[in-house]
Amino acid sequence: MSREIWQRRPHRWLAWLAGIAVFAAPLLLWNRVPITEANAWQATSGQIDAPAGVAFASDQGLTTLYRWSDSGLKRSVDGGHTWVKVGGKLPVNQLGSLEIVALAVGPGRTLFVLAGDADDQVLYRSTDSGSTFEQVYRSGIAATGQLATIVTSDKASVAVSAGDTIVISADYGVTWEESLMPGKVTALAGGKTLWAGGEGWVSERQVDSSWRDYLLPQGVVPERIVISKSNPNSHFVVHQDGLLRSDATGQSWQPVSIPTNDAITALIIDPAVWQTVFLGDVSGRVWRSDDAGESWAPLARPGVGAIVALFLTEDNRDRLYAASGFDLFWLPQTPLLPTPTFTPTPSATPTRTPTPTRTPTDTPTATSTPSPTFTPTSSLTPTFTPSLTAPPRPINRVIAPTATATAVPRTPAATKLPAYSPDQKPNATATPAATPTPEPPTPIPTATSYR
């Protein structure tokens, strides 16, 4: 009987068999499909809340990851495979949500968190990788949510902005030093030096604690400043309309062509190779550049939602992390090998290779041959637009330009603020406390690396 049905309606049976083959083929070939760019991103672990931010700390070969959201602060020591909730004594609002505004890692297991509402933000410090926190500073005015740490070979400092003022502590938050800036601070970044930015300007804090200022194109408001760890002159400024990059001298800023029309939400520089840059936008797309932003190659989307943050750890540069949607993802990378010297990428504007120092000769030369003192030539030195470079200024000048402004680098304030007490404001009379010496905490056991 079935043979007769088959002979009468062969086309119907063929259609059924074809349909079964279409639906079954992906299941049969699942394990034979190689990993491609479309599925190369790996989720670190299942999470139920979208991260508001992520950060990492590297200490003695151990990388610690941090992620925070309304539900709390979490820490991972195994590449994000497992997470532990930390953040004792950090404030929460009436709904029980954590009020972290910014987080910055310090040396060792030190962690700083700026938390609170828009009118009363307090700086907290942890010396045990976030397990417990203590208050170290209250701004007293509405802060702008900017926090950074500065780590050099001989000391570490923390800086927080409040309006047009930056306060800096070089003793883990016991005493504070104020610096008046040209205007409201909208971006703050730390590394070996401290950078700050506001509408139309950026400033760098020098080794001698003075500040040197540079003008940005009119109307540019920095949203974040990204500092290169391997090249002291290669930095980026992300603003509301695009991206700026410093020139070979680090003293002027030029626009960079970006691969997206959407807002930039994340930008990082490879810690060992300053030419490698990663960019993420609000639509969830990611790009990579190996020529300092001259050209961009698209990467796959890690998840659904905007790119909240991107980062590479110094100990594992072949793994790019991206916070997007409800999880933290990582993507295998092939990092470039660092070069022994800085070689700026050729562009339309002539550039030169910067030298580490400029040492004049002790005695004058008798001939017309130029001395070893650096003398720029028209073929090597880029043409700087006067409107993009500003002279240094004193710290106590008025914010509006005046005819008596001098070109001497400004120095930090002579007086320091007293130590902070949770029951008083910084401007209240108090006896400075002694610099605390954090006891070395119990090391976190090294966990198995997951791929």
Side-chain angles (χ1 to χ4, degrees), residues 268-304:
I268 61 167
I269 304 174
D270 188 305
V273 179
W274 61 271
Q275 296 95 333
T276 299
V277 184
F278 295 91
L279 181 149
D281 68 4
V282 70
S283 65
R285 294 172 294 178
V286 182
W287 290 266
R288 171 175 172 165
S289 172
D290 287 321
D291 51 15
E294 293 294 327
S295 61
W296 300 89
L299 303 177
R301 294 173 183 260
V304 179

PDB file of all heavy atoms in Angstrom, residues 268-304:
ATOM      1  N   ILE A 268      41.190  51.738  23.979  1.00  0.00           N
ATOM      2  CA  ILE A 268      42.369  51.323  24.736  1.00  0.00           C
ATOM      3  C   ILE A 268      43.561  51.226  23.795  1.00  0.00           C
ATOM      4  O   ILE A 268      43.411  51.072  22.579  1.00  0.00           O
ATOM      5  CB  ILE A 268      42.166  49.974  25.451  1.00  0.00           C
ATOM      6  CG1 ILE A 268      41.897  48.857  24.421  1.00  0.00           C
ATOM      7  CG2 ILE A 268      41.074  50.052  26.481  1.00  0.00           C
ATOM      8  CD1 ILE A 268      41.991  47.473  25.012  1.00  0.00           C
ATOM      9  N   ILE A 269      44.765  51.323  24.381  1.00  0.00           N
ATOM     10  CA  ILE A 269      46.023  51.161  23.662  1.00  0.00           C
ATOM     11  C   ILE A 269      46.729  49.943  24.231  1.00  0.00           C
ATOM     12  O   ILE A 269      46.777  49.753  25.458  1.00  0.00           O
ATOM     13  CB  ILE A 269      46.914  52.403  23.805  1.00  0.00           C
ATOM     14  CG1 ILE A 269      46.165  53.657  23.338  1.00  0.00           C
ATOM     15  CG2 ILE A 269      48.211  52.247  23.021  1.00  0.00           C
ATOM     16  CD1 ILE A 269      46.945  54.949  23.581  1.00  0.00           C
ATOM     17  N   ASP A 270      47.285  49.112  23.356  1.00  0.00           N
ATOM     18  CA  ASP A 270      48.044  47.956  23.810  1.00  0.00           C
ATOM     19  C   ASP A 270      49.153  48.438  24.751  1.00  0.00           C
ATOM     20  O   ASP A 270      49.889  49.363  24.435  1.00  0.00           O
ATOM     21  CB  ASP A 270      48.661  47.233  22.603  1.00  0.00           C
ATOM     22  CG  ASP A 270      49.308  45.913  22.961  1.00  0.00           C
ATOM     23  OD1 ASP A 270      50.189  45.901  23.848  1.00  0.00           O
ATOM     24  OD2 ASP A 270      48.964  44.891  22.352  1.00  0.00           O
ATOM     25  N   PRO A 271      49.292  47.840  25.954  1.00  0.00           N
ATOM     26  CA  PRO A 271      50.277  48.343  26.912  1.00  0.00           C
ATOM     27  C   PRO A 271      51.723  48.216  26.455  1.00  0.00           C
ATOM     28  O   PRO A 271      52.590  48.922  26.979  1.00  0.00           O
ATOM     29  CB  PRO A 271      50.021  47.487  28.164  1.00  0.00           C
ATOM     30  CG  PRO A 271      49.331  46.271  27.664  1.00  0.00           C
ATOM     31  CD  PRO A 271      48.515  46.715  26.493  1.00  0.00           C
ATOM     32  N   ALA A 272      52.010  47.346  25.478  1.00  0.00           N
ATOM     33  CA  ALA A 272      53.387  47.154  25.030  1.00  0.00           C
ATOM     34  C   ALA A 272      53.643  47.708  23.638  1.00  0.00           C
ATOM     35  O   ALA A 272      54.791  48.027  23.298  1.00  0.00           O
ATOM     36  CB  ALA A 272      53.750  45.663  25.056  1.00  0.00           C
ATOM     37  N   VAL A 273      52.612  47.835  22.820  1.00  0.00           N
ATOM     38  CA  VAL A 273      52.752  48.322  21.444  1.00  0.00           C
ATOM     39  C   VAL A 273      51.792  49.484  21.258  1.00  0.00           C
ATOM     40  O   VAL A 273      50.584  49.286  21.147  1.00  0.00           O
ATOM     41  CB  VAL A 273      52.459  47.212  20.415  1.00  0.00           C
ATOM     42  CG1 VAL A 273      52.584  47.737  18.992  1.00  0.00           C
ATOM     43  CG2 VAL A 273      53.398  46.030  20.630  1.00  0.00           C
ATOM     44  N   TRP A 274      52.319  50.699  21.202  1.00  0.00           N
ATOM     45  CA  TRP A 274      51.460  51.878  21.173  1.00  0.00           C
ATOM     46  C   TRP A 274      50.721  52.029  19.853  1.00  0.00           C
ATOM     47  O   TRP A 274      49.730  52.748  19.776  1.00  0.00           O
ATOM     48  CB  TRP A 274      52.287  53.136  21.446  1.00  0.00           C
ATOM     49  CG  TRP A 274      53.382  53.393  20.445  1.00  0.00           C
ATOM     50  CD1 TRP A 274      54.661  52.932  20.500  1.00  0.00           C
ATOM     51  CD2 TRP A 274      53.288  54.173  19.248  1.00  0.00           C
ATOM     52  NE1 TRP A 274      55.387  53.368  19.416  1.00  0.00           N
ATOM     53  CE2 TRP A 274      54.567  54.135  18.625  1.00  0.00           C
ATOM     54  CE3 TRP A 274      52.270  54.897  18.646  1.00  0.00           C
ATOM     55  CZ2 TRP A 274      54.833  54.795  17.431  1.00  0.00           C
ATOM     56  CZ3 TRP A 274      52.542  55.552  17.451  1.00  0.00           C
ATOM     57  CH2 TRP A 274      53.806  55.502  16.852  1.00  0.00           C
ATOM     58  N   GLN A 275      51.169  51.336  18.793  1.00  0.00           N
ATOM     59  CA  GLN A 275      50.471  51.440  17.513  1.00  0.00           C
ATOM     60  C   GLN A 275      49.163  50.661  17.499  1.00  0.00           C
ATOM     61  O   GLN A 275      48.294  50.932  16.664  1.00  0.00           O
ATOM     62  CB  GLN A 275      51.372  50.924  16.372  1.00  0.00           C
ATOM     63  CG  GLN A 275      52.637  51.732  16.152  1.00  0.00           C
ATOM     64  CD  GLN A 275      53.829  51.148  16.885  1.00  0.00           C
ATOM     65  OE1 GLN A 275      53.662  50.480  17.905  1.00  0.00           O
ATOM     66  NE2 GLN A 275      55.023  51.385  16.366  1.00  0.00           N
ATOM     67  N   THR A 276      48.984  49.685  18.374  1.00  0.00           N
ATOM     68  CA  THR A 276      47.769  48.871  18.393  1.00  0.00           C
ATOM     69  C   THR A 276      46.723  49.523  19.284  1.00  0.00           C
ATOM     70  O   THR A 276      46.958  49.741  20.481  1.00  0.00           O
ATOM     71  CB  THR A 276      48.072  47.448  18.890  1.00  0.00           C
ATOM     72  OG1 THR A 276      49.013  46.831  18.002  1.00  0.00           O
ATOM     73  CG2 THR A 276      46.798  46.614  18.921  1.00  0.00           C
ATOM     74  N   VAL A 277      45.568  49.820  18.686  1.00  0.00           N
ATOM     75  CA  VAL A 277      44.488  50.519  19.377  1.00  0.00           C
ATOM     76  C   VAL A 277      43.189  49.757  19.122  1.00  0.00           C
ATOM     77  O   VAL A 277      42.951  49.271  18.013  1.00  0.00           O
ATOM     78  CB  VAL A 277      44.352  51.974  18.881  1.00  0.00           C
ATOM     79  CG1 VAL A 277      43.283  52.716  19.684  1.00  0.00           C
ATOM     80  CG2 VAL A 277      45.687  52.697  18.967  1.00  0.00           C
ATOM     81  N   PHE A 278      42.350  49.650  20.147  1.00  0.00           N
ATOM     82  CA  PHE A 278      41.039  49.019  20.018  1.00  0.00           C
ATOM     83  C   PHE A 278      39.967  50.051  20.342  1.00  0.00           C
ATOM     84  O   PHE A 278      40.113  50.841  21.280  1.00  0.00           O
ATOM     85  CB  PHE A 278      40.904  47.821  20.951  1.00  0.00           C
ATOM     86  CG  PHE A 278      41.834  46.688  20.640  1.00  0.00           C
ATOM     87  CD1 PHE A 278      43.082  46.608  21.243  1.00  0.00           C
ATOM     88  CD2 PHE A 278      41.474  45.704  19.736  1.00  0.00           C
ATOM     89  CE1 PHE A 278      43.951  45.581  20.956  1.00  0.00           C
ATOM     90  CE2 PHE A 278      42.332  44.657  19.432  1.00  0.00           C
ATOM     91  CZ  PHE A 278      43.583  44.596  20.053  1.00  0.00           C
ATOM     92  N   LEU A 279      38.878  50.027  19.561  1.00  0.00           N
ATOM     93  CA  LEU A 279      37.797  51.007  19.699  1.00  0.00           C
ATOM     94  C   LEU A 279      36.462  50.287  19.738  1.00  0.00           C
ATOM     95  O   LEU A 279      36.224  49.345  18.973  1.00  0.00           O
ATOM     96  CB  LEU A 279      37.861  52.009  18.549  1.00  0.00           C
ATOM     97  CG  LEU A 279      36.837  53.145  18.492  1.00  0.00           C
ATOM     98  CD1 LEU A 279      37.464  54.373  17.823  1.00  0.00           C
ATOM     99  CD2 LEU A 279      35.588  52.761  17.717  1.00  0.00           C
ATOM    100  N   GLY A 280      35.575  50.717  20.633  1.00  0.00           N
ATOM    101  CA  GLY A 280      34.225  50.178  20.707  1.00  0.00           C
ATOM    102  C   GLY A 280      33.213  51.303  20.700  1.00  0.00           C
ATOM    103  O   GLY A 280      33.510  52.417  21.165  1.00  0.00           O
ATOM    104  N   ASP A 281      32.011  51.050  20.200  1.00  0.00           N
ATOM    105  CA  ASP A 281      31.014  52.120  20.123  1.00  0.00           C
ATOM    106  C   ASP A 281      29.711  51.711  20.816  1.00  0.00           C
ATOM    107  O   ASP A 281      29.565  50.594  21.324  1.00  0.00           O
ATOM    108  CB  ASP A 281      30.764  52.546  18.673  1.00  0.00           C
ATOM    109  CG  ASP A 281      30.067  51.476  17.839  1.00  0.00           C
ATOM    110  OD1 ASP A 281      29.700  50.410  18.383  1.00  0.00           O
ATOM    111  OD2 ASP A 281      29.875  51.702  16.630  1.00  0.00           O
ATOM    112  N   VAL A 282      28.773  52.631  20.820  1.00  0.00           N
ATOM    113  CA  VAL A 282      27.531  52.438  21.551  1.00  0.00           C
ATOM    114  C   VAL A 282      26.643  51.381  20.905  1.00  0.00           C
ATOM    115  O   VAL A 282      25.767  50.813  21.562  1.00  0.00           O
ATOM    116  CB  VAL A 282      26.777  53.783  21.662  1.00  0.00           C
ATOM    117  CG1 VAL A 282      26.227  54.202  20.296  1.00  0.00           C
ATOM    118  CG2 VAL A 282      25.669  53.729  22.694  1.00  0.00           C
ATOM    119  N   SER A 283      26.870  51.068  19.646  1.00  0.00           N
ATOM    120  CA  SER A 283      26.065  50.054  18.975  1.00  0.00           C
ATOM    121  C   SER A 283      26.596  48.638  19.196  1.00  0.00           C
ATOM    122  O   SER A 283      25.997  47.678  18.705  1.00  0.00           O
ATOM    123  CB  SER A 283      25.986  50.345  17.467  1.00  0.00           C
ATOM    124  OG  SER A 283      27.263  50.225  16.875  1.00  0.00           O
ATOM    125  N   GLY A 284      27.733  48.490  19.908  1.00  0.00           N
ATOM    126  CA  GLY A 284      28.246  47.164  20.219  1.00  0.00           C
ATOM    127  C   GLY A 284      29.303  46.646  19.275  1.00  0.00           C
ATOM    128  O   GLY A 284      29.680  45.476  19.363  1.00  0.00           O
ATOM    129  N   ARG A 285      29.835  47.500  18.384  1.00  0.00           N
ATOM    130  CA  ARG A 285      30.860  47.061  17.441  1.00  0.00           C
ATOM    131  C   ARG A 285      32.259  47.369  17.971  1.00  0.00           C
ATOM    132  O   ARG A 285      32.455  48.297  18.746  1.00  0.00           O
ATOM    133  CB  ARG A 285      30.652  47.722  16.086  1.00  0.00           C
ATOM    134  CG  ARG A 285      29.357  47.288  15.388  1.00  0.00           C
ATOM    135  CD  ARG A 285      29.082  48.096  14.139  1.00  0.00           C
ATOM    136  NE  ARG A 285      28.809  49.495  14.467  1.00  0.00           N
ATOM    137  CZ  ARG A 285      28.567  50.428  13.556  1.00  0.00           C
ATOM    138  NH1 ARG A 285      28.579  50.116  12.267  1.00  0.00           N
ATOM    139  NH2 ARG A 285      28.316  51.665  13.936  1.00  0.00           N
ATOM    140  N   VAL A 286      33.258  46.576  17.501  1.00  0.00           N
ATOM    141  CA  VAL A 286      34.644  46.704  17.945  1.00  0.00           C
ATOM    142  C   VAL A 286      35.553  46.704  16.728  1.00  0.00           C
ATOM    143  O   VAL A 286      35.317  45.968  15.762  1.00  0.00           O
ATOM    144  CB  VAL A 286      35.034  45.557  18.899  1.00  0.00           C
ATOM    145  CG1 VAL A 286      36.463  45.724  19.390  1.00  0.00           C
ATOM    146  CG2 VAL A 286      34.074  45.484  20.081  1.00  0.00           C
ATOM    147  N   TRP A 287      36.596  47.536  16.779  1.00  0.00           N
ATOM    148  CA  TRP A 287      37.589  47.606  15.701  1.00  0.00           C
ATOM    149  C   TRP A 287      38.985  47.541  16.295  1.00  0.00           C
ATOM    150  O   TRP A 287      39.202  47.880  17.459  1.00  0.00           O
ATOM    151  CB  TRP A 287      37.463  48.911  14.905  1.00  0.00           C
ATOM    152  CG  TRP A 287      36.240  49.031  14.062  1.00  0.00           C
ATOM    153  CD1 TRP A 287      36.103  48.719  12.737  1.00  0.00           C
ATOM    154  CD2 TRP A 287      34.961  49.522  14.480  1.00  0.00           C
ATOM    155  NE1 TRP A 287      34.828  48.977  12.305  1.00  0.00           N
ATOM    156  CE2 TRP A 287      34.099  49.470  13.357  1.00  0.00           C
ATOM    157  CE3 TRP A 287      34.469  49.993  15.688  1.00  0.00           C
ATOM    158  CZ2 TRP A 287      32.781  49.882  13.416  1.00  0.00           C
ATOM    159  CZ3 TRP A 287      33.150  50.402  15.758  1.00  0.00           C
ATOM    160  CH2 TRP A 287      32.325  50.348  14.632  1.00  0.00           C
ATOM    161  N   ARG A 288      39.940  47.145  15.446  1.00  0.00           N
ATOM    162  CA  ARG A 288      41.358  47.123  15.829  1.00  0.00           C
ATOM    163  C   ARG A 288      42.172  47.893  14.803  1.00  0.00           C
ATOM    164  O   ARG A 288      41.929  47.806  13.602  1.00  0.00           O
ATOM    165  CB  ARG A 288      41.876  45.683  15.927  1.00  0.00           C
ATOM    166  CG  ARG A 288      43.395  45.574  16.103  1.00  0.00           C
ATOM    167  CD  ARG A 288      43.854  44.159  16.319  1.00  0.00           C
ATOM    168  NE  ARG A 288      45.314  44.060  16.294  1.00  0.00           N
ATOM    169  CZ  ARG A 288      46.013  43.019  16.728  1.00  0.00           C
ATOM    170  NH1 ARG A 288      45.370  41.966  17.218  1.00  0.00           N
ATOM    171  NH2 ARG A 288      47.330  43.004  16.667  1.00  0.00           N
ATOM    172  N   SER A 289      43.150  48.651  15.279  1.00  0.00           N
ATOM    173  CA  SER A 289      44.085  49.374  14.424  1.00  0.00           C
ATOM    174  C   SER A 289      45.503  49.036  14.858  1.00  0.00           C
ATOM    175  O   SER A 289      45.800  49.028  16.058  1.00  0.00           O
ATOM    176  CB  SER A 289      43.860  50.891  14.516  1.00  0.00           C
ATOM    177  OG  SER A 289      44.882  51.593  13.827  1.00  0.00           O
ATOM    178  N   ASP A 290      46.380  48.754  13.901  1.00  0.00           N
ATOM    179  CA  ASP A 290      47.787  48.490  14.194  1.00  0.00           C
ATOM    180  C   ASP A 290      48.692  49.603  13.696  1.00  0.00           C
ATOM    181  O   ASP A 290      49.913  49.419  13.622  1.00  0.00           O
ATOM    182  CB  ASP A 290      48.217  47.146  13.572  1.00  0.00           C
ATOM    183  CG  ASP A 290      47.634  45.958  14.320  1.00  0.00           C
ATOM    184  OD1 ASP A 290      47.578  46.012  15.571  1.00  0.00           O
ATOM    185  OD2 ASP A 290      47.233  44.977  13.667  1.00  0.00           O
ATOM    186  N   ASP A 291      48.123  50.752  13.343  1.00  0.00           N
ATOM    187  CA  ASP A 291      48.918  51.892  12.890  1.00  0.00           C
ATOM    188  C   ASP A 291      48.458  53.179  13.576  1.00  0.00           C
ATOM    189  O   ASP A 291      48.384  54.240  12.951  1.00  0.00           O
ATOM    190  CB  ASP A 291      48.863  52.033  11.371  1.00  0.00           C
ATOM    191  CG  ASP A 291      47.434  52.029  10.826  1.00  0.00           C
ATOM    192  OD1 ASP A 291      46.491  52.198  11.630  1.00  0.00           O
ATOM    193  OD2 ASP A 291      47.264  51.847   9.612  1.00  0.00           O
ATOM    194  N   ALA A 292      48.145  53.073  14.856  1.00  0.00           N
ATOM    195  CA  ALA A 292      47.774  54.229  15.686  1.00  0.00           C
ATOM    196  C   ALA A 292      46.556  54.965  15.167  1.00  0.00           C
ATOM    197  O   ALA A 292      46.454  56.182  15.301  1.00  0.00           O
ATOM    198  CB  ALA A 292      48.952  55.190  15.822  1.00  0.00           C
ATOM    199  N   GLY A 293      45.615  54.242  14.581  1.00  0.00           N
ATOM    200  CA  GLY A 293      44.361  54.842  14.156  1.00  0.00           C
ATOM    201  C   GLY A 293      44.316  55.312  12.725  1.00  0.00           C
ATOM    202  O   GLY A 293      43.312  55.895  12.306  1.00  0.00           O
ATOM    203  N   GLU A 294      45.352  55.061  11.942  1.00  0.00           N
ATOM    204  CA  GLU A 294      45.322  55.449  10.527  1.00  0.00           C
ATOM    205  C   GLU A 294      44.339  54.583   9.737  1.00  0.00           C
ATOM    206  O   GLU A 294      43.701  55.051   8.798  1.00  0.00           O
ATOM    207  CB  GLU A 294      46.728  55.343   9.916  1.00  0.00           C
ATOM    208  CG  GLU A 294      47.733  56.335  10.471  1.00  0.00           C
ATOM    209  CD  GLU A 294      47.382  57.761  10.117  1.00  0.00           C
ATOM    210  OE1 GLU A 294      46.825  57.992   9.027  1.00  0.00           O
ATOM    211  OE2 GLU A 294      47.657  58.659  10.930  1.00  0.00           O
ATOM    212  N   SER A 295      44.202  53.313  10.108  1.00  0.00           N
ATOM    213  CA  SER A 295      43.246  52.406   9.467  1.00  0.00           C
ATOM    214  C   SER A 295      42.688  51.472  10.536  1.00  0.00           C
ATOM    215  O   SER A 295      43.321  51.237  11.562  1.00  0.00           O
ATOM    216  CB  SER A 295      43.918  51.596   8.343  1.00  0.00           C
ATOM    217  OG  SER A 295      44.978  50.803   8.857  1.00  0.00           O
ATOM    218  N   TRP A 296      41.486  50.940  10.261  1.00  0.00           N
ATOM    219  CA  TRP A 296      40.783  50.123  11.247  1.00  0.00           C
ATOM    220  C   TRP A 296      40.266  48.845  10.605  1.00  0.00           C
ATOM    221  O   TRP A 296      39.797  48.864   9.470  1.00  0.00           O
ATOM    222  CB  TRP A 296      39.610  50.889  11.851  1.00  0.00           C
ATOM    223  CG  TRP A 296      39.994  52.155  12.546  1.00  0.00           C
ATOM    224  CD1 TRP A 296      40.102  53.397  11.993  1.00  0.00           C
ATOM    225  CD2 TRP A 296      40.354  52.298  13.922  1.00  0.00           C
ATOM    226  NE1 TRP A 296      40.484  54.312  12.942  1.00  0.00           N
ATOM    227  CE2 TRP A 296      40.639  53.671  14.135  1.00  0.00           C
ATOM    228  CE3 TRP A 296      40.430  51.423  14.997  1.00  0.00           C
ATOM    229  CZ2 TRP A 296      41.023  54.169  15.381  1.00  0.00           C
ATOM    230  CZ3 TRP A 296      40.811  51.910  16.242  1.00  0.00           C
ATOM    231  CH2 TRP A 296      41.097  53.267  16.417  1.00  0.00           C
ATOM    232  N   ALA A 297      40.344  47.732  11.342  1.00  0.00           N
ATOM    233  CA  ALA A 297      39.800  46.452  10.897  1.00  0.00           C
ATOM    234  C   ALA A 297      38.675  46.050  11.856  1.00  0.00           C
ATOM    235  O   ALA A 297      38.866  46.061  13.079  1.00  0.00           O
ATOM    236  CB  ALA A 297      40.884  45.377  10.893  1.00  0.00           C
ATOM    237  N   PRO A 298      37.486  45.691  11.341  1.00  0.00           N
ATOM    238  CA  PRO A 298      36.372  45.345  12.225  1.00  0.00           C
ATOM    239  C   PRO A 298      36.555  43.982  12.866  1.00  0.00           C
ATOM    240  O   PRO A 298      37.086  43.052  12.255  1.00  0.00           O
ATOM    241  CB  PRO A 298      35.166  45.361  11.279  1.00  0.00           C
ATOM    242  CG  PRO A 298      35.752  45.031   9.937  1.00  0.00           C
ATOM    243  CD  PRO A 298      37.126  45.631   9.911  1.00  0.00           C
ATOM    244  N   LEU A 299      36.115  43.872  14.103  1.00  0.00           N
ATOM    245  CA  LEU A 299      36.040  42.593  14.806  1.00  0.00           C
ATOM    246  C   LEU A 299      34.566  42.247  15.000  1.00  0.00           C
ATOM    247  O   LEU A 299      33.685  43.056  14.735  1.00  0.00           O
ATOM    248  CB  LEU A 299      36.742  42.672  16.161  1.00  0.00           C
ATOM    249  CG  LEU A 299      38.213  43.084  16.146  1.00  0.00           C
ATOM    250  CD1 LEU A 299      38.748  43.180  17.570  1.00  0.00           C
ATOM    251  CD2 LEU A 299      39.052  42.123  15.326  1.00  0.00           C
ATOM    252  N   ALA A 300      34.305  41.030  15.454  1.00  0.00           N
ATOM    253  CA  ALA A 300      32.923  40.612  15.664  1.00  0.00           C
ATOM    254  C   ALA A 300      32.336  41.331  16.871  1.00  0.00           C
ATOM    255  O   ALA A 300      33.048  41.875  17.714  1.00  0.00           O
ATOM    256  CB  ALA A 300      32.863  39.098  15.859  1.00  0.00           C
ATOM    257  N   ARG A 301      31.015  41.320  16.950  1.00  0.00           N
ATOM    258  CA  ARG A 301      30.325  41.872  18.124  1.00  0.00           C
ATOM    259  C   ARG A 301      30.410  40.856  19.253  1.00  0.00           C
ATOM    260  O   ARG A 301      30.062  39.691  19.078  1.00  0.00           O
ATOM    261  CB  ARG A 301      28.854  42.151  17.804  1.00  0.00           C
ATOM    262  CG  ARG A 301      28.628  43.246  16.774  1.00  0.00           C
ATOM    263  CD  ARG A 301      27.159  43.318  16.425  1.00  0.00           C
ATOM    264  NE  ARG A 301      26.868  44.295  15.388  1.00  0.00           N
ATOM    265  CZ  ARG A 301      26.382  45.512  15.605  1.00  0.00           C
ATOM    266  NH1 ARG A 301      26.117  45.882  16.848  1.00  0.00           N
ATOM    267  NH2 ARG A 301      26.159  46.341  14.619  1.00  0.00           N
ATOM    268  N   PRO A 302      30.831  41.286  20.443  1.00  0.00           N
ATOM    269  CA  PRO A 302      30.925  40.326  21.552  1.00  0.00           C
ATOM    270  C   PRO A 302      29.587  39.935  22.150  1.00  0.00           C
ATOM    271  O   PRO A 302      29.440  38.847  22.691  1.00  0.00           O
ATOM    272  CB  PRO A 302      31.788  41.069  22.570  1.00  0.00           C
ATOM    273  CG  PRO A 302      31.565  42.508  22.265  1.00  0.00           C
ATOM    274  CD  PRO A 302      31.351  42.605  20.784  1.00  0.00           C
ATOM    275  N   GLY A 303      28.610  40.816  22.100  1.00  0.00           N
ATOM    276  CA  GLY A 303      27.316  40.535  22.708  1.00  0.00           C
ATOM    277  C   GLY A 303      26.259  41.468  22.167  1.00  0.00           C
ATOM    278  O   GLY A 303      26.428  42.075  21.113  1.00  0.00           O
ATOM    279  N   VAL A 304      25.181  41.595  22.887  1.00  0.00           N
ATOM    280  CA  VAL A 304      24.089  42.480  22.506  1.00  0.00           C
ATOM    281  C   VAL A 304      24.109  43.685  23.438  1.00  0.00           C
ATOM    282  O   VAL A 304      23.975  43.534  24.649  1.00  0.00           O
ATOM    283  CB  VAL A 304      22.732  41.762  22.590  1.00  0.00           C
ATOM    284  CG1 VAL A 304      21.610  42.717  22.224  1.00  0.00           C
ATOM    285  CG2 VAL A 304      22.717  40.538  21.691  1.00  0.00           C
TER     286      VAL A 304
END
